[in-house]
Amino acid sequence: MCKKIICSLLVIMFTLIPHLCSAQTKVNVDSLINHPQKYDNKVITIEAEVIGEPMVRGNNVWINVNDGTCAIGIWTDKKILKNIKTYGNYHNKGDVIRVTGQFHFNCKEHGGDVDIHSNDINITERGYKVTRNINRKKMVASVLLVALTGMLAFTYYRKVVKSSK
Amino acid sequence: MKELKNNSLKIISYYSGYIINATALLMLIPIITSIFFREWDTVMDFVISGSISISIGLVLILYGREAKGQKDMEWKHGLVIASFSWIMLTMLSAIPYRISGYCLSFLDACFDVMSGFTTTGLLLIQNLDHAPMGLNMWRHIITFVGGQGMVVFAISFMIKKTVGAYKMYVGEGKDIELVPNIKGTAKTIWLISIIYLVIGTFVLWIDGIVIGLKPVSSFFHGLYIYMSAWSTGGFGPMSQGMNYYHSFSYENIAIVFFIVGSLNFGLHYKVWQGDRKEIFKNIETRTFFVTVTLTTFLCVLYVAKRGVYSDAVSLFRRVVFNLLSAHTTTGFANIYAKQFIYQWGEFGIIIATIAMLLGGSACSTAGGFKALRVGIVFKGMIAYVKKLMCPQRSVRVTKFHYMKDNVLTDDIVKSSSLIIICYIMLFTIGTCLGAYYGYPLSQAAFEAASATGNVGLTIGVTAVSMPAALKVYYIIAMYLGRLEFISVFALVGFIAGGVKKLCVRR
């Protein structure tokens, strides 16, 4: 009987503990923006792709991230730059990082900016170069249309430009 | 009657073809950009789009070639050419957006293009943070050219003879003559824009490097942000808009250029010629100063009362910047759409809505009612009240200064009032439509004002999930707002007249 009670208590504890650690619950950026009263000045965790490029400001850096719902700026120590290899743009999918930090809907340090201050950033997925194969249909369409434009331009030259001279 | 109609069609076709070709040739710029950045798919997108556009332009020119050099271009032709070529260019310029896959439908692509040409800045493009440089270059070129006007562009560079050029120029919503001939005026507008383009891009490029951007990307960011600021367009290369830079200095530089961009081209020309007093005497700048000060003061007072921002810097960056962006109809935002709701509150939203409707200066890149019309109507009201208070026999002459001293006549007040009434009707219909689709009234009004006034700020209504009817309405609102109604009414009248004649003949 005692063993059963202890086992049940252990199961309940291990089920509840992850929910008690709410700071580690992952949210998306859109939820942060749409529910500021819930998340403002709280420690939250997001997982998002780094985009654009870092902007170093003294000993710190701005890194912008986008998790597919919205983009936001992360203010962090510039030492993190050593770990981030790929930034998302047309040619590349950026590194995906897990950021745990304090969310501000109105950051006093940054003139009212909406941002996350964090020094707990981990790479969860490495970025890569996006392979884009040349679209053959577009290539054929380009050639045909350029040829058509050329014929029309020649007709224009003969009927409009030449006839006016 | 048939011959006359065909003649009109040929005139419209010929000049529309030139305007389309002039603008289509600009697609060479994103092609070169994409080649530089090795975006081969984008190169093909623009080759396809450019070929289709130039082909259509050439067909129109060939059909209307008998109209070349004809001197009987009437006002209706000029107005219809302006409005028709804008519609054609919107659809043709949407092709690269659609075939690139960054817009989910052709309607969304047309929405983005109309937003660019009208220097609005609302957008439906997807995945902007991974968009090719070529497509971003095109987005900003169309906003820069749209701000000056495609007709102005074509008159400056493509159309050799200026027969009827003035009528097309007016059809695009401008009427100022900087120099005696219209081709000279068009070229002067471009000269002013290009000189500021060089200065603005350079300043933003340097500041971009200072705030941490790499030199090459700083140059392109500077170029795009300048093009958007000067044309009061509001586009940016990244999905976060001005928030991407997290920089007070970058925002301040943008403020300078978007305010300058919202001023009358005539005023720029006068100041360049040394007449700096015009800035203080001009009814438009005075009205603009009063309305900007009043709306900014009210908004700052209210948001400060709500205790949202604790310091002056935050208030300036998050309230003044966005209010100025609204009033100049730029559309740059350094706050998220939802922050208007949570932080500005209903009163702040109303003030922003009014600011967006009031707009910038006439004959500038800005939208809205225009400060000149607001000043004229206000002065007209005061003059009317004074007239009522005075003895019947007394004759009062009211004057206003706009580039020179002018007499304020009933006709001037009437024409200004009519255009303002048209804007208000357009805004009201947009608000009602937004409310019909379930958006809260203040948000529907905010978004309608943004589209009607060619502003570009969004409170969250503009989204891919928005009803198609609302997208279509906003496209029409942006188009009507930019061309200031008359040329579009002329186009509708021309088409209706043609259909009526066809029906009568049958």
Side-chain angles (χ1 to χ4, degrees):
Chain A
M1 182 68 183
C2 246
K3 269 188 187 174
K4 277 186 184 173
I5 293 168
I6 290 167
C7 281
S8 305
L9 280 170
L10 280 169
V11 166
I12 291 166
M13 262 175 64
F14 282 114
T15 316
L16 277 177
I17 281 172
H19 293 286
L20 288 171
C21 301
S22 57
Q24 298 298 316
T25 307
K26 207 174 69 173
V27 293
N28 63 42
V29 178
D30 199 49
S31 296
L32 296 176
I33 308 298
N34 286 320
H35 303 286
Q37 54 285 63
K38 190 176 172 188
Y39 296 110
D40 192 19
N41 293 315
K42 301 278 194 314
V43 176
I44 49 85
T45 298
I46 63 164
E47 203 165 287
E49 179 198 351
V50 288
I51 52 165
E53 60 192 286
M55 283 175 272
V56 176
R57 310 267 169 99
N59 291 324
N60 294 87
V61 64
W62 280 110
I63 296 169
N64 289 297
V65 298
N66 190 330
D67 66 354
T69 64
C70 199
I72 194 167
I74 312 293
W75 178 248
T76 185
D77 196 298
K78 69 177 180 186
K79 289 177 197 163
I80 195 68
L81 293 178
K82 288 179 212 165
N83 300 335
I84 300 174
K85 307 291 178 200
T86 313
Y87 291 82
N89 54 33
Y90 177 72
H91 291 292
N92 303 305
K93 170 95 176 15
D95 291 346
V96 175
I97 57 175
R98 191 178 181 93
V99 179
T100 299
Q102 191 174 40
F103 168 69
H104 302 112
F105 197 57
N106 165 17
C107 179
K108 289 173 178 48
E109 186 182 341
H110 296 116
D113 208 345
V114 175
D115 61 26
I116 299 171
H117 288 209
S118 171
N119 281 320
D120 180 3
I121 296 177
N122 298 294
I123 315 292
T124 57
E125 207 180 296
R126 280 290 171 200
Y128 52 86
K129 193 171 168 54
V130 175
T131 312
R132 292 178 197 273
N133 296 318
I134 293 192
N135 188 316
R136 290 200 178 172
K137 283 183 189 172
K138 281 187 185 177
M139 207 153 60
V140 169
S142 305
V143 170
L144 291 173
L145 285 166
V146 167
L148 172 68
T149 308
M151 286 193 297
L152 284 166
F154 181 67
T155 311
Y156 162 78
Y157 175 74
R158 281 186 59 191
K159 289 189 183 264
V160 180
V161 177
K162 215 171 171 187
S163 65
S164 65
K165 280 179 184 171
Chain B
M1 283 288 249
K2 188 183 174 183
E3 216 170 299
L4 193 67
K5 182 173 175 277
N6 279 349
N7 193 44
S8 288
L9 272 178
K10 283 181 179 174
I11 291 171
I12 291 163
S13 179
Y14 182 76
Y15 288 102
S16 297
Y18 265 108
I19 293 166
I20 288 167
N21 275 354
T23 312
L25 282 172
L26 290 171
M27 288 192 189
L28 282 170
I29 301 174
I31 288 173
I32 294 166
T33 308
S34 283
I35 290 171
F36 182 75
F37 286 99
R38 291 170 291 139
E39 298 162 349
W40 309 120
D41 216 43
T42 309
V43 171
M44 287 192 288
D45 291 341
F46 280 97
V47 167
I48 290 169
S49 313
S51 302
I52 293 172
S53 306
I54 293 172
S55 298
I56 289 174
L58 288 170
V59 165
L60 289 170
I61 292 171
L62 286 166
Y63 173 72
R65 64 187 184 276
E66 286 159 27
K68 185 180 175 184
Q70 276 203 14
K71 291 179 183 172
D72 57 354
M73 187 190 276
E74 296 166 32
W75 274 106
K76 68 175 180 186
H77 298 135
L79 296 172
V80 171
I81 288 164
S83 48
F84 174 68
S85 51
W86 271 67
I87 293 176
M88 288 301 296
L89 280 166
T90 298
M91 291 192 285
L92 293 169
S93 302
I95 298 172
Y97 278 76
R98 182 66 190 108
I99 60 178
S100 69
Y102 284 88
C103 279
L104 299 180
S105 66
F106 192 65
L107 178 63
D108 286 4
C110 288
F111 184 100
D112 265 49
V113 170
M114 185 59 85
S115 177
F117 276 140
T118 57
T119 72
T120 302
L122 293 169
L123 40 98
L124 294 178
I125 192 171
Q126 298 295 290
N127 200 12
L128 187 55
D129 296 325
H130 295 89
M133 288 293 272
L135 188 61
N136 250 328
M137 179 63 81
W138 183 236
R139 292 175 65 231
H140 293 88
I141 284 172
I142 63 177
T143 204
F144 189 66
V145 172
Q148 272 61 249
M150 278 87 80
V151 172
V152 169
F153 179 69
I155 289 170
S156 309
F157 303 111
M158 290 288 286
I159 297 174
K160 287 185 183 162
K161 290 186 183 162
T162 54
V163 171
Y166 182 71
K167 290 164 186 165
M168 291 188 281
Y169 172 74
V170 171
E172 210 174 34
K174 288 186 172 62
D175 59 8
I176 198 152
E177 291 173 67
L178 303 180
V179 295
N181 73 81
I182 201 62
K183 197 168 165 109
T185 294
K187 282 191 166 173
T188 306
I189 288 173
W190 271 100
L191 181 66
I192 294 169
S193 301
I194 298 291
I195 289 173
Y196 275 119
L197 172 71
V198 171
I199 298 168
T201 305
F202 179 76
V203 171
L204 283 164
W205 178 42
I206 297 300
D207 193 55
I209 294 170
V210 167
I211 65 171
L213 294 172
K214 293 190 191 107
V216 172
S217 63
S218 180
F219 171 77
F220 282 98
H221 279 268
L223 179 66
Y224 296 153
I225 294 297
Y226 174 78
M227 280 177 162
S228 271
W230 170 255
S231 64
T232 61
F235 278 167
M238 307 299 286
S239 65
Q240 285 158 281
M242 289 303 283
N243 259 339
Y244 176 79
Y245 306 100
H246 308 283
S247 168
F248 194 18
S249 62
Y250 215 74
E251 288 161 11
N252 286 338
I253 296 170
I255 287 175
V256 170
F257 287 121
F258 69 58
I259 288 177
V260 169
S262 71
L263 299 175
N264 195 308
F265 280 112
L267 180 68
H268 283 292
Y269 190 65
K270 281 250 175 187
V271 170
W272 280 25
Q273 287 188 313
D275 185 7
R276 287 184 181 80
K277 283 184 188 170
E278 183 64 29
I279 298 172
F280 305 103
K281 291 192 305 186
N282 193 304
I283 185 176
E284 199 168 40
T285 45
R286 285 175 162 186
T287 308
F288 185 63
F289 177 75
V290 167
T291 54
V292 163
T293 307
L294 200 58
T295 49
T296 308
F297 172 72
L298 288 171
C299 213
V300 166
L301 191 70
Y302 181 70
V303 175
K305 187 176 82 97
R306 280 165 66 93
V308 174
Y309 299 110
S310 56
D311 60 287
V313 171
S314 299
L315 269 172
F316 183 85
R317 287 186 71 182
R318 309 299 160 184
V319 180
V320 176
F321 177 89
N322 293 293
L323 212 298
L324 287 175
S325 174
H327 204 310
T328 55
T329 75
T330 303
F332 278 153
N334 60 7
I335 59 175
Y336 291 94
K338 292 294 179 196
Q339 285 178 271
F340 283 113
I341 302 166
Y342 294 122
Q343 292 177 341
W344 286 40
E346 292 292 303
F347 183 73
I349 291 171
I350 289 169
I351 296 299
T353 303
I354 293 169
M356 288 193 280
L357 287 171
L358 289 172
S361 302
C363 299
S364 71
T365 60
F369 299 162
K370 309 298 188 313
L372 175 63
R373 292 194 186 100
V374 172
I376 283 172
V377 167
F378 187 70
K379 219 170 165 86
M381 273 168 48
I382 293 174
Y384 182 67
V385 169
K386 281 183 179 172
K387 187 177 160 189
L388 290 172
M389 310 270 283
C390 285
Q392 270 187 314
R393 284 183 199 171
S394 71
V395 175
R396 291 187 70 85
V397 174
T398 306
K399 286 187 178 178
F400 68 97
H401 184 89
Y402 175 66
M403 307 304 164
K404 60 180 198 277
D405 285 333
N406 302 279
V407 174
L408 186 69
T409 61
D410 286 345
D411 279 346
I412 291 173
V413 177
K414 189 170 75 176
S415 64
S416 294
S417 307
L418 277 172
I419 299 293
I420 289 177
I421 288 168
C422 287
Y423 271 111
I424 292 172
M425 279 171 53
L426 193 62
F427 160 71
T428 307
I429 295 169
T431 305
C432 293
L433 200 60
Y436 174 79
Y437 281 110
Y439 296 99
L441 187 63
S442 59
Q443 292 177 40
F446 185 101
E447 212 80 357
S450 187
T452 306
N454 303 129
V455 181
L457 289 177
T458 180
I459 203 166
V461 173
T462 300
V464 169
S465 54
M466 193 165 75
L470 205 50
K471 287 179 190 175
V472 170
Y473 188 77
Y474 284 165
I475 289 173
I476 293 169
M478 290 189 277
Y479 174 54
L480 277 167
R482 174 62 177 84
L483 294 187
E484 300 203 321
F485 306 94
I486 305 303
S487 54
V488 181
F489 292 163
L491 176 65
V492 170
F494 184 79
I495 293 168
V499 168
K500 190 180 168 187
K501 280 175 189 166
L502 273 172
C503 294
V504 162
R505 211 175 293 137
R506 281 184 186 170

